[in-house]
Amino acid sequence: MDNVLLPLELSDGFCLETVYYESGTLCISTQAGCRMACPFCASGRVGLKRNLSSDELFTQVELHKGNDIKRVTLSGIGEPLDNFEVVKEFIKKSGYPVSVTTSVPDTEKLKELLKLSHNGVMLSFHAGFDETRKKLIPKACQLDEIFHAVSEVWSEISVNKRKKVGFNYMLLDGINDSAEELDAFAGQVTNFKEVTVHLLVCNDVSGSSFKSPSVCVFTDAYELLRNNGLNVRRANNWRKSSNGGCGTLFLKTLQK
């Protein structure tokens, strides 16, 4: 079965995409737009319009009630920590295992999130040096701040919960795919033995110059991280598909 992308038109005319992946994962949004201004991402092209309500999160799930939903991930449009009260309520009441992807604009909220009954927390790094991270995620916390925050709560959470924490690294051609950058990232991650590094590809966005490197460069990056002793996973095929990304439908709606 292919991915199932369904639109949800909100009461004020904004249109979100919700994606059900063939793995049984449903990806939903927490905001209309996003303030993080990551230049490679369609979701934040026009900034943040508003937070979504709790009802609007549950409506996205209801939209896919005909699919076999095994888990829900808050990885769509928006920065979940910027709508944290609603996110916490959804984790508590949804009835599904819920994972959250964040670029970490707030380390105190991150520490609280890590302690919740989540099914996974994915931290988007995409860099080994702060200079690179600032270019890619300009409104997020610096690398040392994030690693320090995770260290502060690491001993307070169970080993099982630690294994559900992931560090995302999306390879971008000529920007963050050098051996020096990857070595710097790996040097920080080795302090967190249970963590999985998710090596991601870049979904095509109309008008964007950002792209993934060649298969050869991607493979070299994978091997470099593995040789540093990290648990590394490559992007699944259902994430690479044309309807595996987020934000393009929202952007097209605004452009109209």
Side-chain angles (χ1 to χ4, degrees):
M1 183 181 67
D2 294 329
N3 298 344
V4 179
L5 186 150
L6 294 177
L8 173 65
E9 185 170 350
L10 305 177
S11 59
D12 48 11
F14 296 126
C15 192
L16 307 176
E17 61 265 61
T18 62
V19 184
Y20 173 79
Y21 294 107
E22 59 183 282
S23 64
T25 298
L26 176 64
C27 180
I28 68 173
S29 300
T30 55
Q31 296 180 303
C34 181
R35 74 173 180 91
M36 298 304 289
C38 304
F40 56 83
C41 180
S43 301
R45 285 275 187 93
V46 291
L48 175 65
K49 296 306 176 182
R50 66 172 176 85
N51 285 330
L52 300 184
S53 68
S54 178
D55 285 345
E56 287 170 329
L57 265 64
F58 283 101
T59 298
Q60 292 177 72
V61 176
E62 184 68 16
L63 198 64
H64 289 266
K65 62 183 179 181
N67 295 315
D68 182 20
I69 302 172
K70 295 183 173 67
R71 64 196 74 83
V72 177
T73 178
L74 306 182
S75 305
I77 298 171
E79 167 50 61
L81 293 189
D82 282 348
N83 193 11
F84 196 37
E85 293 305 313
V86 167
V87 166
K88 288 191 290 185
E89 181 181 357
F90 185 82
I91 291 173
K92 181 179 179 181
K93 297 181 178 180
S94 75
Y96 292 99
V98 179
S99 63
V100 179
T101 298
T102 175
S103 296
V104 195
D106 187 313
T107 53
E108 290 304 312
K109 290 179 180 177
L110 171 62
K111 289 189 286 186
E112 185 177 352
L113 173 62
L114 288 168
K115 296 178 183 179
L116 296 180
S117 297
H118 59 75
N119 189 49
V121 174
M122 307 298 131
L123 311 183
S124 295
F125 285 97
H126 309 329
F129 299 124
D130 276 317
E131 181 181 2
T132 306
R133 180 170 168 82
K134 188 69 175 177
K135 292 177 181 176
L136 295 176
I137 317 178
K139 298 186 179 180
C141 296
Q142 293 186 338
L143 295 170
D144 285 346
E145 293 176 303
I146 300 171
F147 285 119
H148 179 70
V150 176
S151 296
E152 285 187 309
V153 299
W154 204 239
S155 62
E156 301 177 32
I157 61 179
S158 67
V159 172
N160 183 55
K161 190 171 286 187
R162 291 177 198 172
K163 291 180 179 178
K164 293 181 179 180
V165 176
F167 291 170
N168 292 341
Y169 198 108
M170 182 170 63
L171 283 175
L172 296 167
D173 186 35
I175 297 174
N176 64 354
D177 55 356
S178 69
E180 293 78 12
E181 189 95 37
L182 291 162
D183 276 330
F185 173 71
Q188 295 272 31
V189 179
T190 51
N191 296 319
F192 307 96
K193 301 299 183 184
E194 298 88 353
V195 158
T196 297
V197 173
H198 297 274
L199 199 58
L200 307 178
V201 296
C202 179
N203 288 89
D204 292 333
V205 176
S206 177
S208 173
S209 61
F210 291 89
K211 62 179 182 178
S212 293
S214 67
V215 173
C216 181
V217 171
F218 190 95
T219 302
D220 287 346
Y222 174 78
E223 294 298 335
L224 184 154
L225 295 176
R226 292 269 294 178
N227 290 337
N228 273 275
L230 305 184
N231 177 25
V232 188
R233 291 183 184 174
R234 286 174 278 200
N236 293 301
N237 287 332
W238 40 267
R239 289 286 189 186
K240 300 177 187 177
S241 68
S242 60
N243 60 357
C246 300
T248 52
L249 180 60
F250 177 75
L251 185 62
K252 288 176 182 177
T253 303
L254 289 176
Q255 288 171 338
K256 289 178 182 179

